[in-house]
Amino acid sequence: MLVVMKHGATPSQVGAVVQTIEELGYRARPMPGRQRTTVGLVGNDGRVDAARLDSLDGVLRVIHVSQPYKQVSREWWPDDTVIELMNGVRIGGGEVVVMAGPCAVESEAQILTTARRVRDAGATVLRGGAFKPRTSPYSFQGLGEDGLRLLAGAREETGLAVVTEALDPQGVELVAEYADIIQIGARSMQNYSLLRAAGRAGKPVLLKRGMSATIKELLLAAEYIVFEGEPRVILCERGVRSFDDHARNLLDLTAIVSVKELSHLPIIADPSHGTGARSKVSPMARAAIAAGADGIIVEVHPDPPSAVSDGAQSLTPDQFDRLMREIEPIAQAIGRSIAVPKEVLAGR
Ligand code: PEP
Ligand code: MN
């Protein structure tokens, strides 16, 4: 439920609304806007007597949010959420953000070489897993904290922001110490204790769609994170299971459009996991940007055949250079541009 205050409502009138909501046993979330303040009632509001709020001084109207997810819905907040990273890059505004890097951090040389190449090509966020969710327990599980340290070193040298995955609630704090964005992987999208921990860690969260999750389930997962106090959630379409095995997954481009209609949160696309094959990554990256994605996350490896994970879907640095040149005019055609880091902007 949303209580919309009249233009010019006083702080004490807003305070009275907050107090009434709390007396009713709910949490109140005041949201000052450009025109007027709105106070959100957080919780299952089915039995709330709207008349009690409607009649308070300074209240313009009370709106029921019809979706099961509340705070992430467009009904709750009509403007696009824009998330600013430590390097000045903004996700969810007019710019398209490119995140790139290996599937897993393997060594200092590997992550530094990749970071330099993707930065030179125009990426602004470095990806790389230090804790890897692997289908088999015998597969490489990641370098752990050593991998996080290597990512932080690459950030230091290149100015790229870092996104990396947290696998479990106990690991979130450690990842948050090093990362600029905490990634929640597809396999963890409905790990609710992990979502809650990520929502309390004080860092933006990249939430990947589960491979069999509906958009409603994705948005409800995001709601867990926002409910815990972290509004900076970036959604990610990374492909879903399909009846057809011609590609690893089915990258659902309509999801980008649907999410934009239903939610104010930014959404990016992962054409690497979404297709599973190097030859398909760049075409689907281009298509995702044309469909309105706020960014892409792409696996790049200096020597894909030697990659410990996801080599078959990793672009070479040269292929990534080409992709970066291709997407600029696509972004421009729909009135957007590719995000560039602050220091590059300053030098222009
Ligand atoms: C990854 O980003 O390397 C990854 C494991 O992705 P997903 O969770 O989408 O499978
Ligand atoms: Mn991967």
Side-chain angles (χ1 to χ4, degrees):
M1 186 178 278
L2 283 174
V3 182
V4 183
M5 304 301 295
K6 287 180 183 154
H7 182 68
T10 65
S12 73
Q13 288 171 337
V14 175
V17 169
V18 169
Q19 198 185 332
T20 307
I21 289 173
E22 287 170 354
E23 277 168 18
L24 290 166
Y26 295 89
R27 265 161 57 181
R29 187 147 295 167
M31 299 177 285
R34 262 168 290 166
Q35 291 299 321
R36 46 176 57 98
T37 293
T38 305
V39 185
L41 182 152
V42 182
N44 188 349
D45 61 11
R47 287 198 307 270
V48 176
D49 178 11
R52 247 195 93 178
L53 293 162
D54 232 346
S55 58
L56 293 173
D57 286 344
V59 171
L60 180 67
R61 62 175 181 273
V62 177
I63 303 173
H64 274 283
V65 178
S66 58
Q67 305 290 359
Y69 41 85
K70 306 290 176 192
Q71 299 184 62
V72 306
S73 75
R74 277 242 184 244
E75 289 170 284
W76 187 272
W77 193 252
D79 301 333
D80 290 339
T81 286
V82 180
I83 297 165
E84 183 157 345
L85 302 180
M86 103 303 168
N87 58 353
V89 168
R90 290 156 61 85
I91 307 176
E95 297 183 333
V96 174
V97 174
V98 180
M99 309 183 182
C103 179
V105 182
E106 298 169 8
S107 68
E108 184 169 32
Q110 176 244 20
I111 196 68
L112 278 179
T113 310
T114 316
R116 289 182 193 126
R117 285 294 304 262
V118 300
R119 189 250 347 247
D120 292 349
T124 47
V125 180
L126 176 66
R127 65 147 289 146
F131 297 94
K132 293 303 300 175
R134 302 306 301 278
T135 304
S136 162
Y138 303 112
S139 302
F140 175 67
Q141 303 287 309
L143 294 181
E145 188 167 2
D146 287 343
L148 296 177
R149 282 196 207 97
L150 294 177
L151 285 167
R155 169 178 53 212
E156 186 84 1
E157 195 199 298
T158 59
L160 293 167
V162 164
V163 58
T164 192
E165 178 159 355
L167 270 186
D168 43 49
Q170 311 85 276
V172 165
E173 240 177 84
L174 181 67
V175 168
E177 269 176 44
Y178 292 91
D180 301 296
I181 306 173
I182 302 167
Q183 177 173 325
I184 305 289
R187 290 158 192 79
S188 301
M189 190 205 85
Q190 287 181 309
N191 180 340
Y192 298 114
S193 48
L194 174 60
L195 298 175
R196 286 187 191 278
R200 291 193 293 264
K203 290 279 168 82
V205 178
L206 175 67
L207 177 64
K208 301 187 87 174
R209 179 183 182 184
M211 49 193 91
S212 300
T214 62
I215 295 301
K216 189 163 140 186
E217 288 163 341
L218 171 66
L219 294 174
L220 281 166
E223 188 81 11
Y224 267 88
I225 299 167
V226 176
F227 180 81
E228 290 299 326
E230 181 51 72
R232 296 168 298 174
V233 180
I234 304 146
L235 304 169
C236 180
E237 165 56 42
R238 49 78 72 206
V240 290
R241 281 275 159 86
S242 146
F243 60 90
D244 196 339
D245 62 3
H246 77 97
R248 181 177 178 184
N249 288 300
L250 176 67
L251 187 68
D252 178 7
L253 292 183
T254 313
I256 293 162
V257 186
S258 296
V259 163
K260 287 266 158 219
E261 287 168 3
L262 297 169
S263 174
H264 53 82
L265 294 177
I267 179 161
I268 68 169
D270 175 348
S272 307
H273 296 88
T275 64
R278 190 173 307 121
S279 64
K280 299 180 174 72
V281 171
S282 291
M284 294 314 287
R286 301 191 303 250
I289 291 170
D294 294 300
I296 50 173
I297 182 163
V298 181
E299 288 184 339
V300 179
H301 194 285
D303 179 33
S306 74
V308 296
S309 62
D310 286 349
Q313 66 193 34
S314 298
L315 296 185
T316 64
D318 287 347
Q319 288 173 320
F320 182 69
D321 286 344
R322 199 167 317 128
L323 173 63
M324 290 303 291
R325 288 194 297 273
E326 290 167 350
I327 59 178
E328 182 72 55
I330 296 173
Q332 277 174 15
I334 54 166
R336 302 183 85 165
S337 59
I338 305 299
V340 287
K342 229 176 0 199
E343 73 264 21
V344 175
L345 269 183
R348 275 186 184 172

Coordinates of all heavy atoms in Angstrom, one line a residue, residues 27-70:
R27 N 5.7 -1.8 8.7 CA 6.8 -0.9 8.6 C 6.5 0.2 7.6 O 5.8 -0.1 6.6 CB 8.0 -1.7 8.1 CG 8.9 -2.1 9.2 CD 9.9 -3.2 8.8 NE 10.7 -3.0 7.7 CZ 11.6 -3.9 7.3 NH1 11.7 -5.0 7.8 NH2 12.4 -3.6 6.3
A28 N 6.9 1.4 7.9 CA 6.6 2.5 7.0 C 7.9 3.0 6.3 O 9.0 3.0 6.9 CB 6.1 3.7 7.8
R29 N 7.8 3.3 5.0 CA 9.0 3.7 4.3 C 8.7 5.0 3.5 O 8.1 5.0 2.5 CB 9.4 2.6 3.3 CG 10.7 2.8 2.6 CD 11.4 1.5 2.3 NE 11.8 0.8 3.5 CZ 12.3 -0.4 3.5 NH1 12.3 -1.1 2.4 NH2 12.6 -1.0 4.6
P30 N 9.1 6.1 4.2 CA 8.8 7.4 3.5 C 9.8 7.6 2.3 O 10.9 7.3 2.4 CB 9.2 8.5 4.6 CG 9.3 7.7 5.8 CD 9.7 6.3 5.5
M31 N 9.2 8.0 1.2 CA 10.0 8.2 -0.1 C 9.8 9.6 -0.6 O 8.8 9.8 -1.3 CB 9.6 7.1 -1.1 CG 9.8 5.7 -0.6 SD 9.2 4.5 -1.8 CE 7.5 4.6 -1.5
P32 N 10.7 10.5 -0.3 CA 10.5 11.9 -0.8 C 10.7 11.9 -2.3 O 11.7 11.3 -2.8 CB 11.6 12.7 -0.1 CG 12.2 11.7 1.0 CD 11.9 10.4 0.5
G33 N 9.8 12.5 -3.0 CA 9.9 12.6 -4.5 C 10.1 14.0 -4.9 O 10.1 14.9 -4.1
R34 N 10.2 14.2 -6.2 CA 10.4 15.5 -6.8 C 9.1 16.4 -6.5 O 9.2 17.5 -6.2 CB 10.7 15.5 -8.3 CG 12.2 15.6 -8.6 CD 12.4 15.2 -10.0 NE 12.2 13.8 -10.3 CZ 12.1 13.2 -11.5 NH1 12.1 14.0 -12.5 NH2 11.9 12.0 -11.6
Q35 N 8.0 15.8 -6.7 CA 6.7 16.5 -6.6 C 6.1 16.4 -5.2 O 5.6 17.3 -4.6 CB 5.7 16.0 -7.6 CG 6.0 16.3 -9.0 CD 6.1 17.8 -9.3 OE1 5.3 18.6 -8.8 NE2 7.1 18.2 -10.1
R36 N 6.1 15.2 -4.7 CA 5.5 14.9 -3.4 C 6.1 13.7 -2.7 O 6.8 12.9 -3.4 CB 4.0 14.7 -3.6 CG 3.6 13.8 -4.8 CD 2.2 13.5 -4.8 NE 1.4 14.7 -5.0 CZ 0.9 15.2 -6.1 NH1 1.1 14.6 -7.2 NH2 0.2 16.3 -6.1
T37 N 5.9 13.6 -1.4 CA 6.4 12.5 -0.7 C 5.3 11.3 -0.7 O 4.1 11.6 -0.7 CB 6.6 12.9 0.8 OG1 7.7 13.8 0.8 CG2 7.0 11.7 1.7
T38 N 5.9 10.1 -0.8 CA 5.0 8.9 -0.7 C 5.5 8.1 0.4 O 6.7 8.0 0.7 CB 5.1 8.1 -2.0 OG1 4.8 9.0 -3.1 CG2 4.2 7.0 -2.1
V39 N 4.6 7.5 1.2 CA 4.9 6.7 2.3 C 4.5 5.3 1.9 O 3.3 5.0 1.7 CB 4.3 7.1 3.6 CG1 4.9 6.2 4.8 CG2 4.7 8.6 3.9
G40 N 5.4 4.3 1.9 CA 5.0 2.9 1.6 C 4.7 2.2 2.9 O 5.4 2.4 3.9
L41 N 3.7 1.3 2.8 CA 3.4 0.4 3.9 C 4.0 -0.9 3.5 O 3.5 -1.5 2.5 CB 1.9 0.4 4.1 CG 1.4 -0.4 5.3 CD1 0.0 0.2 5.7 CD2 1.1 -1.9 4.9
V42 N 5.0 -1.4 4.2 CA 5.7 -2.6 3.9 C 5.1 -3.8 4.6 O 5.0 -3.7 5.9 CB 7.2 -2.5 4.2 CG1 7.9 -3.8 3.7 CG2 7.8 -1.3 3.5
G43 N 4.7 -4.8 3.9 CA 4.1 -6.0 4.6 C 2.8 -6.4 3.8 O 2.4 -5.7 2.8
N44 N 2.2 -7.5 4.2 CA 1.0 -7.9 3.5 C -0.2 -7.0 4.0 O -0.6 -7.1 5.1 CB 0.7 -9.4 3.9 CG -0.4 -10.0 3.1 OD1 -1.1 -9.2 2.4 ND2 -0.6 -11.3 3.2
D45 N -0.6 -6.2 3.1 CA -1.6 -5.1 3.5 C -3.0 -5.4 3.3 O -3.9 -4.6 3.3 CB -1.2 -3.8 2.8 CG -1.3 -3.9 1.3 OD1 -1.8 -4.9 0.8 OD2 -0.8 -2.9 0.6
G46 N -3.3 -6.7 3.0 CA -4.7 -7.1 2.7 C -5.7 -6.7 3.7 O -6.9 -6.4 3.3
R47 N -5.4 -6.6 5.0 CA -6.4 -6.3 6.0 C -6.3 -4.9 6.5 O -7.0 -4.5 7.5 CB -6.3 -7.3 7.1 CG -6.8 -8.7 6.8 CD -7.0 -9.6 8.0 NE -5.9 -9.6 8.9 CZ -4.9 -10.5 8.9 NH1 -5.0 -11.4 8.0 NH2 -3.9 -10.4 9.7
V48 N -5.5 -4.1 5.9 CA -5.3 -2.7 6.4 C -6.5 -1.9 6.1 O -7.0 -1.9 5.0 CB -4.0 -2.1 5.8 CG1 -3.9 -0.6 6.3 CG2 -2.8 -2.8 6.3
D49 N -7.0 -1.1 7.1 CA -8.1 -0.2 6.8 C -7.6 1.1 6.2 O -7.1 1.9 6.9 CB -8.8 0.0 8.2 CG -10.0 1.0 8.1 OD1 -10.4 1.3 6.9 OD2 -10.5 1.5 9.1
A50 N -7.8 1.2 4.9 CA -7.2 2.4 4.2 C -7.8 3.7 4.7 O -7.2 4.7 4.6 CB -7.4 2.2 2.7
A51 N -9.1 3.6 5.2 CA -9.8 4.8 5.6 C -9.0 5.5 6.7 O -9.0 6.7 6.8 CB -11.2 4.5 6.1
R52 N -8.4 4.7 7.6 CA -7.6 5.3 8.7 C -6.5 6.2 8.2 O -6.1 7.3 8.8 CB -7.0 4.2 9.6 CG -7.7 4.2 10.9 CD -6.9 3.5 11.9 NE -6.0 4.3 12.7 CZ -5.3 3.7 13.7 NH1 -5.4 2.5 14.0 NH2 -4.5 4.5 14.4
L53 N -5.9 5.8 7.1 CA -4.8 6.6 6.5 C -5.3 7.7 5.6 O -4.8 8.8 5.6 CB -3.9 5.7 5.7 CG -3.1 4.6 6.6 CD1 -2.6 3.5 5.7 CD2 -2.0 5.3 7.3
D54 N -6.4 7.4 4.8 CA -7.0 8.3 3.9 C -7.4 9.6 4.6 O -7.4 10.7 4.0 CB -8.2 7.7 3.3 CG -8.2 7.7 1.8 OD1 -7.4 8.5 1.3 OD2 -9.0 7.0 1.2
S55 N -7.9 9.5 5.8 CA -8.4 10.6 6.5 C -7.4 11.5 7.2 O -7.8 12.6 7.8 CB -9.5 10.1 7.6 OG -8.8 9.3 8.5
L56 N -6.1 11.1 7.2 CA -5.1 11.9 7.9 C -4.8 13.2 7.1 O -4.9 13.2 5.9 CB -3.8 11.1 8.1 CG -3.9 9.9 9.0 CD1 -2.6 9.1 9.0 CD2 -4.2 10.4 10.5
D57 N -4.5 14.3 7.8 CA -4.1 15.5 7.2 C -2.9 15.4 6.2 O -2.0 14.7 6.6 CB -3.8 16.6 8.2 CG -5.0 17.1 9.0 OD1 -6.1 16.8 8.5 OD2 -4.8 17.6 10.1
G58 N -3.0 16.0 5.1 CA -1.9 16.0 4.1 C -1.9 14.8 3.2 O -1.1 14.8 2.3
V59 N -2.8 13.9 3.4 CA -2.9 12.7 2.5 C -3.7 13.0 1.3 O -4.8 13.5 1.3 CB -3.4 11.5 3.2 CG1 -3.7 10.3 2.3 CG2 -2.5 11.1 4.4
L60 N -3.1 12.7 0.1 CA -3.8 12.9 -1.2 C -4.6 11.7 -1.5 O -5.8 11.8 -1.8 CB -2.8 13.2 -2.3 CG -3.4 13.5 -3.7 CD1 -4.1 14.8 -3.7 CD2 -2.2 13.5 -4.7
R61 N -4.0 10.5 -1.5 CA -4.7 9.3 -1.8 C -4.0 8.1 -1.3 O -2.7 8.1 -1.1 CB -5.2 9.2 -3.2 CG -4.0 9.1 -4.2 CD -4.5 8.8 -5.6 NE -3.4 8.7 -6.5 CZ -2.8 9.8 -7.1 NH1 -3.3 11.0 -6.9 NH2 -1.7 9.6 -7.8
V62 N -4.7 7.0 -1.2 CA -4.0 5.7 -0.8 C -4.2 4.7 -2.0 O -5.3 4.6 -2.5 CB -4.7 5.1 0.5 CG1 -4.1 3.8 0.8 CG2 -4.6 6.1 1.6
I63 N -3.0 4.1 -2.4 CA -3.1 3.2 -3.5 C -2.7 1.8 -3.1 O -1.7 1.6 -2.4 CB -2.0 3.7 -4.6 CG1 -2.2 5.1 -5.0 CG2 -1.9 2.7 -5.8 CD1 -1.1 5.7 -5.9
H64 N -3.5 0.8 -3.5 CA -3.1 -0.6 -3.3 C -2.2 -1.0 -4.4 O -2.4 -0.7 -5.6 CB -4.3 -1.5 -3.3 CG -5.0 -1.5 -2.0 ND1 -4.5 -2.3 -0.9 CD2 -6.1 -0.9 -1.5 CE1 -5.3 -2.1 0.1 NE2 -6.3 -1.3 -0.2
V65 N -1.0 -1.6 -4.0 CA -0.1 -2.2 -5.1 C -0.7 -3.6 -5.4 O -0.8 -4.4 -4.5 CB 1.3 -2.2 -4.6 CG1 2.2 -2.9 -5.6 CG2 1.8 -0.9 -4.2
S66 N -1.1 -3.8 -6.7 CA -1.8 -5.0 -7.0 C -0.8 -6.2 -7.1 O -1.3 -7.3 -7.0 CB -2.6 -4.8 -8.3 OG -1.7 -4.4 -9.3
Q67 N 0.4 -5.9 -7.4 CA 1.4 -7.1 -7.6 C 1.8 -7.7 -6.3 O 1.8 -7.0 -5.3 CB 2.6 -6.6 -8.3 CG 2.4 -5.8 -9.6 CD 1.9 -6.8 -10.7 OE1 1.8 -8.0 -10.5 NE2 1.6 -6.2 -11.9
P68 N 2.2 -9.0 -6.3 CA 2.6 -9.6 -5.0 C 4.0 -9.0 -4.6 O 4.3 -8.9 -3.4 CB 2.8 -11.1 -5.4 CG 2.9 -11.1 -6.9 CD 2.1 -9.9 -7.4
Y69 N 4.8 -8.6 -5.6 CA 6.0 -7.9 -5.2 C 5.6 -6.4 -5.1 O 4.8 -5.9 -5.9 CB 7.1 -8.1 -6.3 CG 6.6 -8.1 -7.7 CD1 6.5 -6.9 -8.4 CD2 6.2 -9.3 -8.3 CE1 6.0 -6.9 -9.6 CE2 5.7 -9.2 -9.6 CZ 5.6 -8.0 -10.2 OH 5.1 -8.0 -11.5
K70 N 6.1 -5.7 -4.1 CA 5.6 -4.4 -3.9 C 6.7 -3.3 -4.2 O 6.5 -2.5 -5.2 CB 5.3 -4.2 -2.4 CG 4.3 -5.3 -1.9 CD 2.9 -5.1 -2.4 CE 2.0 -6.2 -2.0 NZ 0.7 -6.2 -2.7

